[in-house]
mmCIF file of all heavy atoms in Angstrom:
data_model
loop_
_atom_site.group_PDB
_atom_site.id
_atom_site.type_symbol
_atom_site.label_atom_id
_atom_site.label_comp_id
_atom_site.label_asym_id
_atom_site.label_seq_id
_atom_site.Cartn_x
_atom_site.Cartn_y
_atom_site.Cartn_z
ATOM 1 N N MET A 1 65.149 -25.074 107.322
ATOM 2 C CA MET A 1 65.557 -26.418 106.898
ATOM 3 C C MET A 1 66.559 -26.340 105.748
ATOM 4 O O MET A 1 67.549 -27.075 105.722
ATOM 5 C CB MET A 1 64.330 -27.228 106.477
ATOM 6 C CG MET A 1 63.339 -27.499 107.601
ATOM 7 S SD MET A 1 64.043 -28.495 108.925
ATOM 8 C CE MET A 1 64.220 -30.068 108.086
ATOM 9 N N SER A 2 66.299 -25.439 104.803
ATOM 10 C CA SER A 2 67.223 -25.269 103.676
ATOM 11 C C SER A 2 68.588 -24.793 104.151
ATOM 12 O O SER A 2 69.628 -25.229 103.644
ATOM 13 C CB SER A 2 66.652 -24.255 102.675
ATOM 14 O OG SER A 2 65.422 -24.696 102.158
ATOM 15 N N THR A 3 68.582 -23.899 105.125
ATOM 16 C CA THR A 3 69.835 -23.382 105.669
ATOM 17 C C THR A 3 70.638 -24.500 106.325
ATOM 18 O O THR A 3 71.856 -24.603 106.132
ATOM 19 C CB THR A 3 69.553 -22.259 106.687
ATOM 20 O OG1 THR A 3 68.790 -21.226 106.048
ATOM 21 C CG2 THR A 3 70.839 -21.682 107.240
ATOM 22 N N MET A 4 69.963 -25.340 107.092
ATOM 23 C CA MET A 4 70.651 -26.461 107.727
ATOM 24 C C MET A 4 71.182 -27.444 106.683
ATOM 25 O O MET A 4 72.294 -27.968 106.802
ATOM 26 C CB MET A 4 69.717 -27.168 108.706
ATOM 27 C CG MET A 4 69.350 -26.317 109.914
ATOM 28 S SD MET A 4 68.513 -27.250 111.215
ATOM 29 C CE MET A 4 66.995 -27.686 110.384
ATOM 30 N N ASP A 5 70.389 -27.666 105.649
ATOM 31 C CA ASP A 5 70.813 -28.590 104.580
ATOM 32 C C ASP A 5 72.087 -28.101 103.889
ATOM 33 O O ASP A 5 73.007 -28.889 103.634
ATOM 34 C CB ASP A 5 69.699 -28.741 103.538
ATOM 35 C CG ASP A 5 68.565 -29.638 104.023
ATOM 36 O OD1 ASP A 5 68.772 -30.346 105.015
ATOM 37 O OD2 ASP A 5 67.487 -29.600 103.402
ATOM 38 N N ILE A 6 72.147 -26.811 103.584
ATOM 39 C CA ILE A 6 73.301 -26.314 102.833
ATOM 40 C C ILE A 6 74.546 -26.238 103.719
ATOM 41 O O ILE A 6 75.679 -26.393 103.239
ATOM 42 C CB ILE A 6 72.991 -24.947 102.173
ATOM 43 C CG1 ILE A 6 73.966 -24.699 101.017
ATOM 44 C CG2 ILE A 6 73.025 -23.817 103.184
ATOM 45 C CD1 ILE A 6 73.534 -23.569 100.104
ATOM 46 N N ILE A 7 74.362 -26.050 105.025
ATOM 47 C CA ILE A 7 75.498 -26.130 105.956
ATOM 48 C C ILE A 7 76.083 -27.536 105.929
ATOM 49 O O ILE A 7 77.301 -27.732 105.876
ATOM 50 C CB ILE A 7 75.061 -25.733 107.381
ATOM 51 C CG1 ILE A 7 74.817 -24.229 107.454
ATOM 52 C CG2 ILE A 7 76.113 -26.157 108.414
ATOM 53 C CD1 ILE A 7 74.209 -23.769 108.765
ATOM 54 N N LYS A 8 75.195 -28.536 105.932
ATOM 55 C CA LYS A 8 75.658 -29.928 105.866
ATOM 56 C C LYS A 8 76.305 -30.219 104.510
ATOM 57 O O LYS A 8 77.274 -30.978 104.426
ATOM 58 C CB LYS A 8 74.488 -30.882 106.124
ATOM 59 C CG LYS A 8 73.940 -30.824 107.542
ATOM 60 C CD LYS A 8 72.715 -31.702 107.719
ATOM 61 C CE LYS A 8 73.068 -33.176 107.689
ATOM 62 N NZ LYS A 8 73.783 -33.612 108.903
ATOM 63 N N LEU A 9 75.766 -29.608 103.454
ATOM 64 C CA LEU A 9 76.317 -29.815 102.121
ATOM 65 C C LEU A 9 77.787 -29.411 102.063
ATOM 66 O O LEU A 9 78.597 -30.067 101.398
ATOM 67 C CB LEU A 9 75.505 -29.016 101.096
ATOM 68 C CG LEU A 9 76.020 -29.056 99.650
ATOM 69 C CD1 LEU A 9 75.889 -30.465 99.077
ATOM 70 C CD2 LEU A 9 75.257 -28.054 98.777
ATOM 71 N N TYR A 10 78.130 -28.351 102.777
ATOM 72 C CA TYR A 10 79.506 -27.868 102.755
ATOM 73 C C TYR A 10 80.357 -28.451 103.886
ATOM 74 O O TYR A 10 81.417 -27.920 104.214
ATOM 75 C CB TYR A 10 79.529 -26.341 102.773
ATOM 76 C CG TYR A 10 79.130 -25.762 101.434
ATOM 77 C CD1 TYR A 10 77.927 -25.095 101.262
ATOM 78 C CD2 TYR A 10 79.952 -25.928 100.324
ATOM 79 C CE1 TYR A 10 77.549 -24.586 100.015
ATOM 80 C CE2 TYR A 10 79.589 -25.423 99.081
ATOM 81 C CZ TYR A 10 78.390 -24.762 98.930
ATOM 82 O OH TYR A 10 78.023 -24.273 97.683
ATOM 83 N N GLY A 11 79.872 -29.536 104.483
ATOM 84 C CA GLY A 11 80.709 -30.325 105.378
ATOM 85 C C GLY A 11 80.642 -29.989 106.848
ATOM 86 O O GLY A 11 81.404 -30.547 107.642
ATOM 87 N N ALA A 12 79.742 -29.125 107.262
ATOM 88 C CA ALA A 12 79.608 -28.782 108.683
ATOM 89 C C ALA A 12 78.241 -29.260 109.194
ATOM 90 O O ALA A 12 77.446 -29.832 108.449
ATOM 91 C CB ALA A 12 79.776 -27.288 108.892
ATOM 92 N N GLU A 13 77.980 -28.998 110.479
ATOM 93 C CA GLU A 13 76.731 -29.446 111.090
ATOM 94 C C GLU A 13 76.059 -28.274 111.812
ATOM 95 O O GLU A 13 76.717 -27.525 112.540
ATOM 96 C CB GLU A 13 76.989 -30.572 112.099
ATOM 97 C CG GLU A 13 77.489 -31.870 111.486
ATOM 98 C CD GLU A 13 76.416 -32.579 110.669
ATOM 99 O OE1 GLU A 13 75.219 -32.386 110.967
ATOM 100 O OE2 GLU A 13 76.779 -33.320 109.734
ATOM 101 N N PRO A 14 74.739 -28.115 111.638
ATOM 102 C CA PRO A 14 74.030 -27.049 112.356
ATOM 103 C C PRO A 14 73.912 -27.367 113.842
ATOM 104 O O PRO A 14 73.761 -28.527 114.233
ATOM 105 C CB PRO A 14 72.652 -27.029 111.683
ATOM 106 C CG PRO A 14 72.479 -28.412 111.130
ATOM 107 C CD PRO A 14 73.850 -28.878 110.738
ATOM 108 N N ALA A 15 73.983 -26.326 114.667
ATOM 109 C CA ALA A 15 73.866 -26.495 116.119
ATOM 110 C C ALA A 15 72.428 -26.400 116.587
ATOM 111 O O ALA A 15 72.126 -26.719 117.742
ATOM 112 C CB ALA A 15 74.712 -25.443 116.836
ATOM 113 N N ASN A 16 71.547 -25.955 115.684
ATOM 114 C CA ASN A 16 70.162 -25.761 116.114
ATOM 115 C C ASN A 16 69.250 -25.520 114.915
ATOM 116 O O ASN A 16 69.712 -25.224 113.808
ATOM 117 C CB ASN A 16 70.055 -24.561 117.054
ATOM 118 C CG ASN A 16 70.449 -23.264 116.362
ATOM 119 O OD1 ASN A 16 71.620 -22.908 116.350
ATOM 120 N ND2 ASN A 16 69.480 -22.571 115.754
ATOM 121 N N PHE A 17 67.970 -25.647 115.179
ATOM 122 C CA PHE A 17 66.910 -25.127 114.315
ATOM 123 C C PHE A 17 66.336 -23.940 115.062
ATOM 124 O O PHE A 17 65.896 -24.070 116.208
ATOM 125 C CB PHE A 17 65.846 -26.208 114.084
ATOM 126 C CG PHE A 17 64.593 -25.716 113.414
ATOM 127 C CD1 PHE A 17 64.419 -25.863 112.052
ATOM 128 C CD2 PHE A 17 63.575 -25.100 114.139
ATOM 129 C CE1 PHE A 17 63.265 -25.418 111.418
ATOM 130 C CE2 PHE A 17 62.417 -24.651 113.530
ATOM 131 C CZ PHE A 17 62.264 -24.815 112.157
ATOM 132 N N LEU A 18 66.351 -22.761 114.440
ATOM 133 C CA LEU A 18 65.794 -21.575 115.092
ATOM 134 C C LEU A 18 65.046 -20.730 114.076
ATOM 135 O O LEU A 18 65.641 -20.124 113.186
ATOM 136 C CB LEU A 18 66.899 -20.739 115.750
ATOM 137 C CG LEU A 18 66.468 -19.387 116.356
ATOM 138 C CD1 LEU A 18 65.322 -19.574 117.343
ATOM 139 C CD2 LEU A 18 67.643 -18.711 117.045
ATOM 140 N N ASP A 19 63.723 -20.725 114.219
ATOM 141 C CA ASP A 19 62.848 -19.943 113.354
ATOM 142 C C ASP A 19 62.277 -18.793 114.177
ATOM 143 O O ASP A 19 61.537 -19.025 115.141
ATOM 144 C CB ASP A 19 61.730 -20.846 112.814
ATOM 145 C CG ASP A 19 60.663 -20.081 112.042
ATOM 146 O OD1 ASP A 19 60.923 -18.922 111.659
ATOM 147 O OD2 ASP A 19 59.574 -20.646 111.829
ATOM 148 N N VAL A 20 62.646 -17.554 113.821
ATOM 149 C CA VAL A 20 62.159 -16.396 114.576
ATOM 150 C C VAL A 20 60.760 -15.974 114.129
ATOM 151 O O VAL A 20 60.139 -15.107 114.752
ATOM 152 C CB VAL A 20 63.130 -15.204 114.458
ATOM 153 C CG1 VAL A 20 64.478 -15.555 115.044
ATOM 154 C CG2 VAL A 20 63.256 -14.739 113.011
ATOM 155 N N GLY A 21 60.261 -16.582 113.060
ATOM 156 C CA GLY A 21 58.908 -16.292 112.609
ATOM 157 C C GLY A 21 58.808 -15.025 111.781
ATOM 158 O O GLY A 21 59.781 -14.294 111.580
ATOM 159 N N GLY A 22 57.610 -14.757 111.308
ATOM 160 C CA GLY A 22 57.409 -13.624 110.421
ATOM 161 C C GLY A 22 57.131 -12.326 111.133
ATOM 162 O O GLY A 22 57.266 -11.249 110.546
ATOM 163 N N GLY A 23 56.744 -12.382 112.392
ATOM 164 C CA GLY A 23 56.384 -11.155 113.107
ATOM 165 C C GLY A 23 57.284 -10.851 114.279
ATOM 166 O O GLY A 23 56.853 -10.225 115.259
ATOM 167 N N ALA A 24 58.540 -11.284 114.209
ATOM 168 C CA ALA A 24 59.465 -11.081 115.322
ATOM 169 C C ALA A 24 59.775 -9.602 115.528
ATOM 170 O O ALA A 24 59.899 -8.836 114.576
ATOM 171 C CB ALA A 24 60.754 -11.861 115.087
ATOM 172 N N THR A 25 59.905 -9.216 116.786
ATOM 173 C CA THR A 25 60.295 -7.851 117.138
ATOM 174 C C THR A 25 61.796 -7.799 117.402
ATOM 175 O O THR A 25 62.477 -8.830 117.424
ATOM 176 C CB THR A 25 59.562 -7.398 118.408
ATOM 177 O OG1 THR A 25 59.960 -8.247 119.497
ATOM 178 C CG2 THR A 25 58.051 -7.500 118.222
ATOM 179 N N LYS A 26 62.301 -6.587 117.632
ATOM 180 C CA LYS A 26 63.719 -6.437 117.953
ATOM 181 C C LYS A 26 64.056 -7.215 119.225
ATOM 182 O O LYS A 26 65.126 -7.824 119.334
ATOM 183 C CB LYS A 26 64.045 -4.950 118.133
ATOM 184 C CG LYS A 26 65.524 -4.674 118.365
ATOM 185 C CD LYS A 26 65.805 -3.185 118.464
ATOM 186 C CE LYS A 26 65.228 -2.617 119.751
ATOM 187 N NZ LYS A 26 65.617 -1.201 119.950
ATOM 188 N N GLU A 27 63.125 -7.220 120.184
ATOM 189 C CA GLU A 27 63.350 -7.937 121.440
ATOM 190 C C GLU A 27 63.455 -9.442 121.196
ATOM 191 O O GLU A 27 64.259 -10.143 121.840
ATOM 192 C CB GLU A 27 62.212 -7.652 122.430
ATOM 193 C CG GLU A 27 62.206 -6.236 123.000
ATOM 194 C CD GLU A 27 61.793 -5.194 121.978
ATOM 195 O OE1 GLU A 27 61.083 -5.546 121.006
ATOM 196 O OE2 GLU A 27 62.183 -4.013 122.137
ATOM 197 N N ASN A 28 62.642 -9.971 120.270
ATOM 198 C CA ASN A 28 62.718 -11.390 119.925
ATOM 199 C C ASN A 28 64.081 -11.735 119.340
ATOM 200 O O ASN A 28 64.657 -12.793 119.648
ATOM 201 C CB ASN A 28 61.626 -11.759 118.915
ATOM 202 C CG ASN A 28 60.238 -11.690 119.497
ATOM 203 O OD1 ASN A 28 59.485 -10.781 119.201
ATOM 204 N ND2 ASN A 28 59.881 -12.645 120.323
ATOM 205 N N ILE A 29 64.589 -10.849 118.488
ATOM 206 C CA ILE A 29 65.885 -11.092 117.845
ATOM 207 C C ILE A 29 67.002 -11.094 118.879
ATOM 208 O O ILE A 29 67.909 -11.927 118.843
ATOM 209 C CB ILE A 29 66.151 -10.044 116.754
ATOM 210 C CG1 ILE A 29 65.009 -10.035 115.720
ATOM 211 C CG2 ILE A 29 67.489 -10.318 116.080
ATOM 212 C CD1 ILE A 29 64.718 -11.391 115.112
ATOM 213 N N VAL A 30 66.946 -10.152 119.805
ATOM 214 C CA VAL A 30 67.951 -10.104 120.875
ATOM 215 C C VAL A 30 67.907 -11.391 121.686
ATOM 216 O O VAL A 30 68.953 -11.984 122.009
ATOM 217 C CB VAL A 30 67.719 -8.879 121.784
ATOM 218 C CG1 VAL A 30 68.633 -8.939 123.002
ATOM 219 C CG2 VAL A 30 67.946 -7.584 121.012
ATOM 220 N N ALA A 31 66.693 -11.849 122.024
ATOM 221 C CA ALA A 31 66.545 -13.089 122.791
ATOM 222 C C ALA A 31 67.095 -14.273 122.010
ATOM 223 O O ALA A 31 67.779 -15.145 122.574
ATOM 224 C CB ALA A 31 65.077 -13.315 123.138
#
């Protein structure tokens, strides 16, 4: 949420909310 907020602060718009979580594997990141 903070990341999306600061993108908007600098005049752009986020294309998504994407939380990979705390236990993501390399395969999750690739996906």
